[in-house]
Amino acid sequence: MFESDKIKGIIFDYGGTIDSNGMHWAEVIWMAYQAEEVPVSKEIFRNAYVHGERTLGKNPIVKPHHTFLDMLRLKTDIQIEWLKAGDFIPEAYATPGLKQRLADWCYAYARKSIDTARPILEALSQKYPLVLVSNFYGNIESVLKDFHLDTYFKSIVESAVVGIRKPDPAIFGLGVKELSLPAETIVVIGDSHDKDIIPATSIGCKTIWLKSIGWSDYRGDESADLVITDFTELEQAFSL
C-alpha cells in the first residue's frame, strides 16, 4: 500500500524510467532496428546489445561531456560493427548512415518520453526533494542538461562516479544519505524490479515500480508498494 502523505523525499532511477516510460532500452533500440529493417533476428540483436553494453562498461569510451545522442551513436556503432564482424549483416549494409538513423530514432523516442515526464518532475520537485540514483557512464549530468532536467534533482548518485552499481543496495543507501531522511519516508521510483525495487525495499524504502517490457520475462510474483504502467500515473499517486 502506497501512502503519499507519508513520503518526504523521492529517489528516481533515470534510464528506462524517465527516458523511456518504463521500457527497457534494449526494446527501444530493437524497435529502431525494426523501423530501419535491419536484417537480424531479435536474438542476434540482443547479443549485439549485450556486447555493446559490456564494451562501454569496461572501457572509458563515454566521456563526461557526451550527450545522450552522442552515447546512442557510440552504442549503435559498436553494435553494428559487431554484427558486421560476425557476418550477421552484409558489410555494405553497415553504413555510417544506418548507425546515425538508429541513434536518431532512439533519441527522438527518448525526447518524447522526457517531454512527457518533465512537467511531472517539475511538479514533484516543488513538493519533495528529488535525488537521482542511476547506473550510468559518467555523463549523466550532460544528459540531464541536454534534456533540461538538471534543475530538478538536489543530488545525483551515478554508478560510474561512486563505484557502486545496482542492484547493490548500497547505491540506494547513498541516495538516502543525500536526502537526509529516514528510509521509510523515501520512495524509490524505477523500471527494474530486480535492480530498483528489490534493493530499495531491502534498505527500508517505499517503492513505485514503473512496469513495462523488461529485459527478461516476469515471473508473475513481483511486487512493490505501487505498480504503475505509465509515468503520468505519478500525477494521481502524488495528487499533483
Side-chain angles (χ1 to χ4, degrees), residues 2-191:
F2 177 69
E3 299 173 285
S4 63
D5 60 316
K6 295 182 179 179
I7 299 302
K8 304 300 182 185
I10 302 174
I11 293 175
F12 267 100
D13 168 56
Y14 178 73
T17 299
I18 294 172
D19 63 357
S20 66
N21 197 26
M23 184 83 71
H24 192 285
W25 262 97
E27 293 295 325
V28 177
I29 299 174
W30 172 241
M31 286 192 290
Y33 271 60
Q34 291 180 300
E36 288 296 325
E37 299 182 343
V38 181
V40 294
S41 68
K42 190 172 185 180
E43 180 182 2
I44 295 299
F45 159 74
R46 282 167 67 95
N47 290 338
Y49 177 86
V50 169
H51 168 75
E53 294 305 299
R54 288 176 177 171
T55 300
L56 292 177
K58 293 177 181 178
N59 303 283
I61 297 171
V62 178
K63 305 301 182 184
H65 67 273
H66 281 151
T67 66
F68 193 60
L69 182 56
D70 294 331
M71 196 173 72
L72 285 169
R73 287 173 176 167
L74 291 170
K75 284 175 181 277
T76 56
D77 180 70
I78 293 169
Q79 290 169 14
I80 295 299
E81 288 301 309
W82 184 86
L83 290 168
K84 182 178 72 173
D87 291 327
F88 295 112
I89 58 174
E91 184 172 348
Y93 201 90
T95 64
L98 173 64
K99 298 169 186 176
Q100 182 168 334
R101 291 193 303 274
L102 290 169
D104 289 348
W105 194 100
C106 293
Y107 186 75
Y109 186 98
R111 182 166 289 282
K112 183 177 180 181
S113 296
I114 289 167
D115 285 346
T116 298
R118 188 182 297 105
I120 299 170
L121 290 170
E122 182 175 8
L124 286 171
S125 71
Q126 293 173 0
K127 293 181 67 175
Y128 307 93
L130 309 183
V131 167
L132 196 72
V133 173
S134 179
N135 281 353
F136 226 73
Y137 307 92
N139 65 320
I140 190 69
E141 291 189 17
S142 295
V143 170
L144 294 176
K145 186 174 181 180
D146 179 47
F147 284 127
H148 305 293
L149 298 174
D150 52 313
T151 60
Y152 302 134
F153 301 98
K154 72 182 295 288
S155 185
I156 297 168
V157 180
E158 184 178 7
S159 62
V161 175
V162 301
I164 307 170
R165 287 183 61 82
K166 303 174 187 179
D168 189 335
I171 194 169
F172 287 103
L174 294 177
V176 171
K177 185 177 180 181
E178 290 294 329
L179 285 169
S180 299
L181 293 168
E184 61 269 20
T185 67
I186 297 169
V187 63
V188 171
I189 303 173
D191 70 295

